[in-house]
Amino acid sequence: SIVDFVKSLFVKKDLVGRKILVTAGPTREPIDPVRYISNYSSGKMGYALAKAARDRGAEVILISGPTSIDPPIGVMFERVSTAEQMRDKVLQYFDEVDAVIMSAAVADYRPMNYSNVKIKKDDSEMTIRLSKNPDILKELGDKKGRQVLIGFAAETDNIVMNASKKIKEKNLDMIVINDVTQPGAGFEVDTNIVKIITKDGDIKDFPLMNKYDLSHAILDLAANLMVR
Amino acid sequence: SIVDFVKSLFVKKDLVGRKILVTAGPTREPIDPVRYISNYSSGKMGYALAKAARDRGAEVILISGPTSIDPPIGVMFERVSTAEQMRDKVLQYFDEVDAVIMSAAVADYRPMNYSNVKIKKDDSEMTIRLSKNPDILKELGDKKGRQVLIGFAAETDNIVMNASKKIKEKNLDMIVINDVTQPGAGFEVDTNIVKIITKDGDIKDFPLMNKYDLSHAILDLAANLMVR
């Protein structure tokens, strides 16, 4: 929007010379040629992060699952569908970036057996067996050198405890937590209400904010963590 | 587009006084607050049908699952998410319409047990048990009076046999069959390649057509079947 454009002119250019990888949207895990498992992520948070980082002068790579948002101008854009495709693309760019913000809602599981033909619905019940997808964040945490690594969590219960556990297990620098049960937070809306937990245990509570402004708050914290 | 608008001015107004219900898009069947099962339907075929029927003078009710297409102007629009919501809305309008075109790709199955909290991914495997969704077309076929009932089928194998079976079982007047394995046909594209089978066994093959033009071909057949 025009408001966003005018805002972008006044943004500090503190990320010039930085390369930032952002992931966005859901992934789709195919069951057969017509059916898949996915999640309610709209991609709005990740696209807002990509725009905010671009506006601050960073070189941005946006790797996106299926969304209905137009790719942002001035951002390198890669489209993927499944978690495995997302993983491959992220690893392809990982060595060259200063920070990774994994805002994509990557599916945890995928159907174990893909059927090449549409499964017929003759039975009154059906069972889908799922196996775990690669844990991209964990893999990045294990490989991590200078990169700042930022995760997202959409939690519905035991919010802080679950998130703190993720920081340790995945070697993250910080995690942004959505309580997706709150109105105005989480999926398919233009605003978010988050907590940010850093690896030193600091917890910051943010009020209801639009996703672009929240992106700048996240990037403020990330900029401080990047090595000079 | 402008081309579509100009085309619409030259369309015959043979559906004035008719009320036509069109369904479009996929449905989403929730597993937990963040995950769901869905299918690759973009809704483009159903929205094209709604516009074509509107352009021919019909009063159109479009019941749509989640899509990224703007609701067409001049059409009564109802948004739903699950198969059960789709069923309820279709039944609400059924008595008052002259034809139902079920182009929505309604999920055949839904997760048997919905979890109120996000299912944690602690296990390396996961099983989702599914039970059958209501068969909306079958239910309409059983209730049908004057209504012309048109189904869609996205088949990947045994195309004509599977479709003919559906016509009989569901008391349809005709069925439009996509071979979703052909390039230029089916999901997420602007064109389609279909066969139409009518209840008297007649099979019509259509070449690659854009979805708006194909909509008129479908409405030509439907108009002939509506009682005067």
Side-chain angles (χ1 to χ4, degrees):
Chain A
S1 71
I2 303 243
V3 175
D4 288 341
F5 173 71
V6 173
K7 266 190 197 168
S8 77
L9 300 178
F10 293 93
V11 159
K12 57 191 167 205
K13 303 292 173 191
D14 60 341
L15 297 177
V16 171
R18 298 296 191 185
K19 209 162 182 175
I20 297 182
L21 174 60
V22 179
T23 66
T27 64
R28 288 179 176 173
E29 308 300 321
I31 300 168
D32 67 21
V34 303
R35 302 174 177 97
Y36 62 82
I37 296 178
S38 191
N39 63 66
Y40 294 101
S41 171
S42 63
K44 285 179 179 171
M45 188 68 231
Y47 282 61
L49 277 160
K51 286 177 190 168
R54 172 201 67 193
D55 293 343
R56 287 165 87 143
E59 194 180 327
V60 179
I61 302 153
L62 175 61
I63 303 175
S64 176
T67 70
S68 54
I69 316 175
D70 289 330
I73 292 162
V75 161
M76 184 179 199
F77 186 79
E78 296 268 13
R79 171 81 71 194
V80 296
S81 183
T82 66
E84 288 185 309
Q85 290 165 5
M86 174 82 71
R87 171 186 172 275
D88 291 347
K89 275 288 166 212
V90 169
L91 288 177
Q92 181 186 317
Y93 290 107
F94 188 59
D95 288 340
E96 55 188 271
V97 301
D98 299 292
V100 176
I101 310 180
M102 280 287 295
S103 79
V106 178
D108 302 324
Y109 292 92
R110 68 172 179 280
M112 209 173 282
N113 305 300
Y114 174 78
S115 165
N116 282 313
V117 295
K118 187 181 172 188
I119 300 166
K120 284 273 157 284
K121 48 171 182 176
D122 296 324
D123 300 322
S124 68
E125 292 185 18
M126 182 171 149
T127 298
I128 304 177
R129 290 182 63 208
L130 308 172
S131 57
K132 226 170 181 173
N133 263 328
D135 184 336
I136 303 174
L137 262 180
K138 174 89 172 62
E139 214 167 323
L140 298 183
D142 291 341
K143 273 177 71 93
K144 175 167 108 167
R146 72 183 189 290
Q147 295 92 344
V148 173
L149 199 56
I150 302 173
F152 271 70
E155 299 289 346
T156 57
D157 56 324
N158 293 324
I159 294 180
V160 172
M161 203 192 70
N162 284 329
S164 306
K165 219 176 101 187
K166 271 190 193 167
I167 289 186
K168 285 208 189 74
E169 281 174 2
K170 301 183 185 184
N171 193 22
L172 307 181
D173 293 286
M174 58 193 232
I175 194 161
V176 182
I177 313 166
N178 289 322
D179 179 352
V180 292
T181 61
Q182 284 190 75
F187 298 135
E188 304 200 33
V189 292
D190 293 316
T191 54
N192 223 346
I193 306 167
V194 306
K195 285 181 206 299
I196 296 182
I197 306 188
T198 55
K199 70 174 164 193
D200 52 27
D202 191 36
I203 304 181
K204 287 192 169 56
D205 272 289
F206 291 83
L208 182 74
M209 289 168 86
N210 79 52
K211 287 180 176 175
Y212 182 78
D213 291 338
L214 178 61
S215 295
H216 280 297
I218 293 167
L219 291 171
D220 286 341
L221 293 167
N224 281 333
L225 295 170
M226 286 185 222
V227 289
R228 256 145 253 278
Chain B
S1 71
I2 302 240
V3 175
D4 287 342
F5 173 71
V6 173
K7 266 189 197 169
S8 77
L9 300 178
F10 294 91
V11 158
K12 59 192 165 202
K13 303 292 173 192
D14 61 340
L15 296 177
V16 170
R18 299 296 190 185
K19 209 164 184 175
I20 297 184
L21 175 59
V22 179
T23 67
T27 65
R28 288 179 176 173
E29 308 301 319
I31 299 168
D32 67 23
V34 303
R35 300 175 180 97
Y36 62 81
I37 295 176
S38 190
N39 63 65
Y40 294 100
S41 171
S42 63
K44 285 179 179 172
M45 189 69 231
Y47 283 61
L49 276 160
K51 286 177 190 169
R54 170 202 69 191
D55 293 343
R56 287 165 86 143
E59 193 180 327
V60 179
I61 302 154
L62 175 60
I63 303 177
S64 176
T67 71
S68 54
I69 315 174
D70 290 330
I73 291 162
V75 161
M76 183 179 202
F77 186 78
E78 296 268 13
R79 172 80 69 193
V80 297
S81 182
T82 66
E84 289 186 308
Q85 290 165 5
M86 175 81 71
R87 173 188 172 273
D88 291 349
K89 274 291 165 210
V90 169
L91 287 177
Q92 181 187 319
Y93 290 105
F94 188 60
D95 287 342
E96 55 189 89
V97 300
D98 299 293
V100 176
I101 310 181
M102 281 287 295
S103 80
V106 178
D108 302 324
Y109 292 92
R110 67 172 179 278
M112 212 175 276
N113 304 301
Y114 174 78
S115 166
N116 282 312
V117 294
K118 187 182 172 187
I119 300 165
K120 284 273 157 281
K121 47 170 180 177
D122 296 325
D123 299 321
S124 68
E125 291 186 16
M126 182 170 149
T127 298
I128 304 176
R129 291 182 61 207
L130 308 171
S131 56
K132 225 168 181 174
N133 264 328
D135 184 336
I136 303 174
L137 262 181
K138 174 89 172 68
E139 213 168 323
L140 298 184
D142 291 342
K143 274 177 71 93
K144 176 167 105 166
R146 74 183 186 291
Q147 293 94 344
V148 173
L149 199 54
I150 302 172
F152 271 69
E155 300 289 347
T156 57
D157 56 322
N158 292 322
I159 295 181
V160 172
M161 203 193 70
N162 284 328
S164 305
K165 219 175 100 185
K166 271 190 192 167
I167 289 185
K168 287 209 187 74
E169 280 173 6
K170 302 184 183 183
N171 194 20
L172 307 182
D173 294 285
M174 59 193 232
I175 195 161
V176 182
I177 314 167
N178 289 322
D179 180 352
V180 291
T181 62
Q182 284 190 75
F187 299 136
E188 306 199 31
V189 291
D190 293 317
T191 54
N192 224 346
I193 306 166
V194 307
K195 286 180 204 299
I196 296 182
I197 306 188
T198 54
K199 70 174 166 194
D200 51 27
D202 191 35
I203 304 180
K204 285 192 172 53
D205 272 288
F206 290 84
L208 182 74
M209 289 170 84
N210 80 52
K211 288 180 175 175
Y212 181 79
D213 291 338
L214 179 61
S215 296
H216 280 297
I218 294 167
L219 290 170
D220 286 342
L221 293 168
N224 280 333
L225 295 170
M226 287 185 221
V227 288
R228 255 142 255 277

